[in-house]
Amino acid sequence: MENKEIARILDEIADLLEIKGVPYKPIAYRRAAETVNSLSQPVEDLKPAEIMKLPGIGESITNKIVELNETGHLPYFEELRKGCPIDFESLLAVEGVGPKTVKLLYQSLNIKDLDDLEEMAKHHQLRRIKGMSEKKEKNILENIKYARKTTRHLLGYMLPLAREIKAKLEEFNPVMRVEVAGSIRRRQETIGDIDILVVTDNPHQVMEYFAAMDLVDRVIAKGISKSTVRLKADVNCDLRVMPEKSFGSALLYFTGSKEVNVEMRKISIKKGLKLNEYGLFRGDKMVAGGTEEEIFQELGIHYMEPELRQTVEDLEAAIRSELPPIIGYQDIKGDLQMHTTWSDGKNSLKEMAETARELSHQYIAITDHTGNLQVPKGISEDKIELQMREIDKLDSEIEDITILKGLEVNIDSDGKLEIKEEILKDLDVVIAGINSGYRQSREQLTDRIISAMENQYVNIIAHPTGRKIHKRSAYELDLDRIFQASVDTNTYLEVNSQPDRLDLKDVLIKKAVQNGCKLVIDTDAHSKERLNDIELGIATARRGYAEKKDIINTNNLRELTKLLDK
DNA sequence: GCCGTTTTCGGCCCGACTGTTTTCAGTCG
Ligand SMILES: Nc1nc2c(ncn2[C@H]2C[C@H](O)[C@@H](COP(=O)(O)OP(=O)(O)OP(=O)(O)O)O2)c(=O)[nH]1
Ligand SMILES: [Mg+2]
Ligand SMILES: [Mg+2]
């Protein structure tokens, strides 16, 4: 059974237990679900003893996971659900509806899913329930609309919007400081909502200003220190307002993750302290809170970069001083995949090069598509030489940046490159990728990639797992073999920065680096604007614990050229 | 149900906003 499915069942067990009013167990099942979800390999491939060692998973849950994998079902779960055949996921997605309300709705009106709920709300049945009201009914009816489209949003689209809101808030005089927090600050690949922290001495004024901003569609909640609005862009935005002296503790709290927050608070308790968003306290006395660094220091923990504040394990690594010095946003010296009007790009060679230079890149590689596919449409082989002369000409004319000659070549369904090999020998960079025929077996797909790696001219494997967030999941690969072949053949794995790719993704980058692989972070930009996406790839590499030395395009041109010579 | 440099039993983060509420429960961050 897939990890996602197992995690979903564990989560539903948590929901069921919560409705029954069972204490603490729901937390345990949620933690276990979280762990299964964040695994970089199928839990199916693990032995029971290994599952047992996973954080938050003990004997009881291990047995349940093993049973699910072996038989495909779980009597404990089916028994629990017998009493209440409810679609929790969709009902709980309604803002303001929690486990207690679900129970109430089911017991009084036999409501099992969103359709039932909408029907009953429309016919004014909810207000008749004891403990409900007309107001609550209206609220629910309104919020059902949003519950039906609870998709997470791509970081690449939310980051510019969050920065726009930040800039708007900074224009307002009483605002002293603004930081984007939450999953955006952690640079998670998908984002549930936008979280923003403001420092001010005038919370009332700031809340009024925030709620009245042009970007806001409607106000969901508005208090003196916290407000939530729905933006016209169809995403929620939470604003937290705090005084200067609590800036660090507030930013720490609002950046999360929740799991890291809870664990840090437990650690504080053990040390006889109390941690909340207002500060770190010993009794009534505040011992830290102005900056995040101060709080980490007081707790005896190394500072954690926001990108690494994801799981309890990240925090434990920080406590053991095992967090590596991850790659910085300024460390990338050049971009090694982009497309121009010669294939399916929107901008010319020159426009791409000039934009890259503005981004302070020392070098770029132009890597238009080749091959016979209609999508992506490639340059025909007879035009390649012409383009290479154009690139040489541009390179000799343009100052302060070097333009490398490259191509992105398709790997065909037999693992052969869709191009005459002799064309490749004069290039600086050759990228190979699977752009068709994803539906093969795990072994076939792995063999295809490895035969491309074994080609003496191929330097980089593009978007190695082929996933597209919200569209297509990663194809199954034997990654251990891929990582080994990458090391053996000096072929680098790509961290593709397109907002919906981010491929390799964070947990796989971590595994690749552990296996000694070297990676390249590039944008795969099809227009000059998208050259900025490099920060998304860097963020993903940071979340994957990658250091500067793990990424080949942190090198100067001279060293890079050596690394590209197989 | 899980977990442990003060524990193998007894804890399990802590605070804001709303309205079901007139002293608190439910939901959410
Ligand atoms: N201490 C504590 N902090 C929490 C809790 N829930 C949320 N937070 C903090 C950490 C979160 O990163 C931050 C923002 O909450 P969100 O619900 O927006 O979560 P986050 O942004 O991490 O993920 P998202 O992409 O929005 O789903 O608030 C909680 O139950 N306890
Ligand atoms: Mg958030
Ligand atoms: Mg939020």
Side-chain angles (χ1 to χ4, degrees), chain A residues 182 192-195 228 236-238 254:
Chain A
D193 68 351
I194 297 174
D195 301 291
T228 302
N236 284 1
C237 180
D238 288 334
F254 216 26

Side-chain angles (χ1 to χ4, degrees), chain A residues 152-153 181-186 188 190-195 238 252-262 265 275-277 309-310:
Chain A
R152 296 180 61 81
H153 306 265
S183 49
I184 299 187
R185 183 159 182 250
R186 300 197 311 275
Q188 225 173 267
T190 64
I191 302 299
D193 68 351
I194 297 174
D195 301 291
D238 288 334
L252 183 69
Y253 151 72
F254 216 26
T255 298
S257 66
K258 177 188 169 186
E259 288 73 24
V260 169
N261 284 355
V262 169
R265 288 169 185 211
L275 177 62
N276 59 31
E277 60 265 48
R309 301 182 200 167
Q310 199 59 30

Side-chain angles (χ1 to χ4, degrees), chain A residues 448-461:
Chain A
R448 269 169 87 182
I449 291 178
I450 290 178
S451 42
M453 287 175 155
E454 284 167 349
N455 181 291
Q456 60 174 322
Y457 300 115
V458 171
N459 303 114
I460 297 168
I461 297 298

Side-chain angles (χ1 to χ4, degrees), chain A residues 338-340 342-343 366-370 379 387 406-408:
Chain A
M338 66 189 66
H339 301 259
T340 71
W342 283 83
S343 65
I366 303 293
T367 57
D368 278 301
H369 291 282
T370 67
I379 320 187
Q387 191 204 21
L407 286 174
E408 181 184 3

Side-chain angles (χ1 to χ4, degrees), chain A residues 44-310:
Chain A
E44 231 172 358
D45 295 351
L46 297 177
K47 298 192 192 74
E50 293 171 317
I51 299 176
M52 188 102 150
K53 282 208 196 81
L54 296 172
I57 300 185
E59 195 179 330
S60 167
I61 295 184
T62 297
N63 289 338
K64 293 189 174 76
I65 291 174
V66 170
E67 194 168 357
L68 275 170
N69 275 329
E70 282 175 357
T71 68
H73 54 101
L74 185 63
Y76 170 77
F77 172 54
E78 283 151 21
E79 192 60 34
L80 261 181
R81 201 164 56 167
K82 217 178 255 166
C84 28
I86 299 173
D87 178 5
F88 291 98
E89 213 179 303
S90 63
L91 286 177
L92 292 173
V94 180
E95 187 114 41
V97 175
K100 292 284 170 0
T101 309
V102 169
K103 184 177 183 180
L104 190 62
L105 291 170
Y106 176 65
Q107 288 180 342
S108 49
L109 292 172
N110 199 30
I111 289 171
K112 297 197 275 295
D113 56 31
L114 277 188
D115 288 339
D116 294 345
L117 183 60
E118 185 162 27
E119 192 66 20
M120 290 296 182
K122 274 186 179 155
H123 291 98
H124 305 308
Q125 297 301 301
L126 301 192
R127 63 183 66 175
R128 293 175 39 210
I129 303 175
K130 186 166 176 292
M132 290 272 205
S133 68
E134 189 181 335
K135 205 162 189 174
K136 181 83 179 173
E137 182 182 273
K138 273 192 177 142
N139 241 324
I140 286 178
L141 199 52
E142 171 81 16
N143 289 337
I144 286 176
K145 288 208 294 265
Y146 303 103
R148 289 194 192 279
K149 46 177 174 180
T150 46
T151 51
R152 296 180 61 81
H153 306 265
L154 296 179
L155 174 64
Y157 300 155
M158 289 300 110
L159 196 50
L161 180 55
R163 285 172 175 156
E164 186 183 343
I165 296 168
K166 175 172 148 85
K168 287 258 156 64
L169 288 165
E170 280 168 341
E171 282 172 13
F172 189 52
N173 237 340
V175 169
M176 294 153 71
R177 184 161 186 185
V178 187
E179 293 297 335
V180 175
S183 49
I184 299 187
R185 183 159 182 250
R186 300 197 311 275
R187 298 294 190 268
Q188 225 173 267
E189 61 190 35
T190 64
I191 302 299
D193 68 351
I194 297 174
D195 301 291
I196 296 186
L197 173 67
V198 164
V199 173
T200 182
D201 293 330
N202 282 300
H204 280 290
Q205 282 187 337
V206 171
M207 285 305 186
E208 292 299 327
Y209 176 84
F210 175 65
M213 283 191 326
D214 256 358
L215 293 160
V216 172
D217 175 40
R218 74 190 175 103
V219 177
I220 294 171
K222 185 149 149 294
I224 184 171
S225 100
K226 201 176 95 174
S227 294
T228 302
V229 300
R230 184 79 182 175
L231 298 174
K232 287 172 182 157
D234 246 347
V235 57
N236 284 1
C237 180
D238 288 334
L239 186 76
R240 191 70 206 253
V241 171
M242 295 291 270
E244 178 96 69
K245 67 175 193 301
S246 294
F247 172 73
S249 47
L251 186 59
L252 183 69
Y253 151 72
F254 216 26
T255 298
S257 66
K258 177 188 169 186
E259 288 73 24
V260 169
N261 284 355
V262 169
E263 194 61 22
M264 283 192 79
R265 288 169 185 211
K266 285 184 190 166
I267 290 165
S268 304
I269 293 169
K270 279 191 205 149
K271 291 182 183 285
L273 301 164
K274 183 176 76 168
L275 177 62
N276 59 31
E277 60 265 48
Y278 293 95
L280 183 65
F281 300 89
R282 172 167 276 122
D284 289 339
K285 193 170 168 288
M286 180 160 164
V287 296
T291 65
E292 289 186 325
E293 286 82 354
E294 204 177 283
I295 296 166
F296 280 110
Q297 190 173 5
E298 199 63 39
L299 291 173
I301 305 172
H302 279 275
Y303 177 78
M304 297 171 77
E305 299 289 345
E307 292 89 336
L308 300 183
R309 301 182 200 167
Q310 199 59 30

